[in-house]
Amino acid sequence: MSKIKVRFAPSPTGYMHIGNTRTALFNWLLAQKLGGEFMLRIDDTDKERSKPEYEAAIRDALKWLGLNWKEEARQSARFERYREVTAKLIEEGLIYPCFETPEELELMRKSLLAKGLPPIYDRRALSLSEAQIAAYRAEGRKPHYRFKLTAGDIVWDDMVRGRCHYRAENLSDPVVIREDGSYLYHLPSVIDDIDFSITHIVRGEDHVTNTASQIRMFEAVGGTVPVFAHLPLLTGKEGKLSKRLGSIGVADLRAEGIEAMSICSYLAKLGTSEAIEPYADLQSLAASLDFDKLGRAQPKFCEQDLQHFNTRLVRGLDYQAVRDRVEVDEAFWNAVRGNLTVLKDIEVWQAICQKPVVPVIEDKSLTDAAAALLPPEPWDEETFKNWIEQIKQQTGRKGKDLFHPLRKAITAMENGPELKFLLPLIGRERVYRRLNGQNA
């Protein structure tokens, strides 16, 4: 069996959004699980809309997510190869010129729909005489080109959808070259997949009909038809694909503090029969990949759910996983991680423990007594427990009336990690001064 090879083929006409992030992820995980290769192919045939900044953003997003690649290609560098294959297919009669204007095609489509017929191109261009073609050219019309679908059944076993069956007669011959000579997606993609020995194609279910047409192109060009997996498209929680969902970018989520492994773990299990659980690394996530557990229903993506999931992942990280990203020791991390929403929140607690804080004095008699009873260092959890007992006995305070004023004086915060963990990190001098209402 040939070596497994997949590709992620983004068009650099926009930023990396959550939908194509999911496609890239599933391709990468499949290659990782099967010991194969993951290739990046930049589909930049759209000269008007392709931008260098979009391509740079796609690359940055993939690298940040950990979806690394060893090989890449660029479609704009392969036009000579596309022209070579196209010329051969034209000679064989499998690609043919058409002279209808967009307006004429739209009229034909509406006419067929009005008769209750599917809007399938009727191949009238194949019956044009040389004189008619000459007349069109004299008018200044430039042809677009269609691929002629060979009649018969088109069948494949999809890794997600199961057995798929189309009749070529029920499909329109796809346009492969525009009037200006530029290529549409279909044929260059097939040529690339053949030339780069792609064995598996994982993409959205909106490509299913394209796949039927492209299988005929694989056969015509002379390549092995890959294995296909068509993923159900993400929808918003309200049940439709919202504009916001289509524009949520990896860069946006990263700026919000969402972890790369949160995005990957969440997207990999969304829409499956498995629980959405945090994974520590991409290798273990890849080992868990099972296309049989993917449902056919469109998964509902919720940014708020992802944020909650990210909080869960962050709070579960051990120190070894974050030590290169935080400027605290293991004791500090373990003390505060249960109160983090995103990793960057640790800076708040660093500031509270290591920089001056303006204390909030709610009960001066309580904080005065607490300051007077504050024991000498070194401190441990037993020291804190004994100190609190002494304060209770002297002031009669307990519960919220005891702990809330102490927390506000020592941290100026309503909530946070347990004081018994925070006090050793703040130190006696700062705690004493804050209890006395001093900025410390």
Side-chain angles (χ1 to χ4, degrees):
M1 182 179 176
S2 59
K3 186 177 179 72
I4 300 300
K5 190 173 182 182
V6 303
R7 45 64 164 187
F8 175 54
S11 297
T13 55
Y15 293 107
M16 185 99 158
H17 61 73
I18 204 69
N20 53 26
T21 300
R22 183 165 171 261
T23 299
L25 174 66
F26 270 89
N27 275 286
W28 193 94
L29 294 176
L30 180 64
Q32 183 74 18
K33 179 165 185 174
L34 300 180
E37 296 177 9
F38 174 79
M39 176 184 183
L40 175 64
R41 190 182 80 207
I42 303 297
D43 286 6
D44 58 347
T45 56
D46 189 335
K47 296 178 183 177
E48 294 296 318
R49 296 170 59 220
S50 294
K51 305 290 183 187
E53 59 266 32
Y54 293 145
E55 181 179 333
I58 290 168
R59 292 175 181 276
D60 287 346
L62 290 172
K63 289 175 183 175
W64 178 70
L65 290 167
L67 308 181
N68 299 311
W69 63 96
K70 291 182 179 178
E71 183 181 8
E72 64 177 74
R74 177 183 301 281
Q75 286 196 329
S76 60
R78 289 177 47 77
F79 286 130
E80 192 59 41
R81 172 62 174 152
Y82 304 151
R83 284 191 283 268
E84 174 191 331
V85 174
T86 301
K88 177 175 176 292
L89 295 177
I90 290 174
E91 186 179 338
E92 294 172 355
L94 289 173
I95 290 180
Y96 59 95
C98 304
F99 289 86
E100 296 89 1
T101 64
E103 293 76 20
E104 289 169 344
L105 289 172
E106 180 62 16
L107 186 62
M108 289 164 57
R109 190 184 75 84
K110 288 181 176 177
S111 176
L112 288 168
L113 288 172
K115 296 174 184 176
L117 298 172
I120 298 170
Y121 181 65
D122 60 8
R123 292 181 171 175
R124 63 182 60 184
L126 288 173
S127 59
L128 291 175
S129 65
E130 289 186 11
Q132 288 173 310
I133 291 174
Y136 281 139
R137 291 191 184 278
E139 288 178 22
R141 292 198 191 193
K142 293 182 179 179
H144 59 272
Y145 288 82
R146 292 180 182 267
F147 178 82
K148 185 178 179 182
L149 296 170
T150 305
D153 293 322
I154 305 173
V155 181
W156 75 93
D157 290 315
D158 196 279
M159 293 176 70
V160 178
R161 300 171 66 85
R163 195 161 184 79
C164 296
H165 179 202
Y166 284 80
R167 290 285 296 174
E169 295 87 336
N170 296 331
L171 302 173
S172 274
D173 290 343
V175 176
V176 291
I177 305 174
R178 300 182 185 90
E179 292 164 356
D180 63 2
S182 63
Y183 286 89
L184 279 83
Y185 160 82
H186 313 284
L187 186 58
S189 181
V190 167
I191 296 168
D192 290 343
D193 289 333
I194 290 171
D195 288 357
F196 294 107
S197 304
I198 300 301
T199 62
H200 292 66
I201 295 175
V202 183
R203 56 189 181 185
E205 65 183 2
D206 52 331
H207 284 286
V208 171
T209 305
N210 288 341
T211 294
S213 300
Q214 287 181 312
I215 285 174
R216 283 289 190 255
M217 295 179 193
F218 276 102
E219 295 166 349
V221 178
T224 302
V225 178
V227 176
F228 288 94
H230 291 90
L231 306 175
L233 299 181
L234 294 179
T235 66
K237 202 162 188 179
E238 69 281 3
K240 61 182 179 181
L241 186 64
S242 67
K243 185 176 181 182
R244 169 64 180 151
L245 177 59
S247 64
I248 296 174
V250 172
D252 299 323
L253 294 172
R254 184 181 181 181
E256 290 175 16
I258 305 297
E259 296 290 307
M261 278 310 302
S262 291
I263 296 172
C264 293
S265 299
Y266 183 80
L267 290 179
K269 299 307 175 183
L270 189 65
T272 73
S273 59
E274 299 173 275
I276 300 178
E277 299 286 349
Y279 280 76
D281 54 68
L282 285 170
Q283 286 67 37
S284 56
L285 185 59
S288 75
L289 182 68
D290 187 346
F291 279 87
D292 290 338
K293 293 182 178 177
L294 268 169
R296 290 286 301 276
Q298 293 184 318
K300 291 178 171 55
F301 175 87
C302 175
E303 190 174 358
Q304 190 175 30
D305 287 350
L306 176 59
Q307 290 166 346
H308 292 321
F309 180 77
N310 183 71
T311 296
R312 182 178 160 200
L313 181 141
V314 167
R315 292 179 179 179
L317 292 173
D318 62 33
Y319 182 67
Q320 296 305 314
V322 300
R323 61 181 302 174
D324 295 333
R325 300 171 58 195
V326 296
E327 296 177 358
V328 299
D329 60 21
E330 188 167 5
F332 193 107
W333 171 255
N334 289 332
V336 305
R337 68 177 181 175
N339 287 84
L340 305 180
T341 300
V342 295
L343 193 63
K344 192 175 177 63
D345 287 348
I346 201 166
E347 295 173 8
V348 173
W349 296 104
Q350 281 181 269
I352 287 170
C353 294
Q354 300 167 4
K355 296 180 181 179
V357 166
V358 179
V360 178
I361 304 300
E362 292 183 333
D363 185 337
K364 191 172 187 305
S365 63
L366 171 66
T367 52
D368 284 348
L373 293 168
L374 195 65
E377 293 178 315
W379 288 347
D380 57 27
E381 292 179 27
E382 286 300 312
T383 308
F384 176 82
K385 180 181 176 182
N386 295 334
W387 178 54
I388 290 296
E389 283 301 320
Q390 289 180 310
I391 299 171
K392 281 182 182 179
Q393 290 173 14
Q394 182 164 321
T395 65
R397 306 291 201 283
K398 59 183 178 180
K400 186 176 180 181
D401 290 340
L402 170 64
F403 287 101
H404 194 267
L406 291 178
R407 179 178 293 281
K408 292 287 284 186
I410 295 168
T411 70
M413 302 286 281
E414 289 285 342
N415 301 290
E418 290 187 59
L419 289 175
K420 66 181 180 182
F421 297 128
L422 281 182
L423 260 62
L425 300 176
I426 298 172
R428 187 185 190 283
E429 181 183 350
R430 277 203 173 97
V431 172
Y432 180 81
R433 293 176 64 189
R434 291 176 189 178
L435 287 169
N436 284 303
Q438 300 172 37
N439 185 350

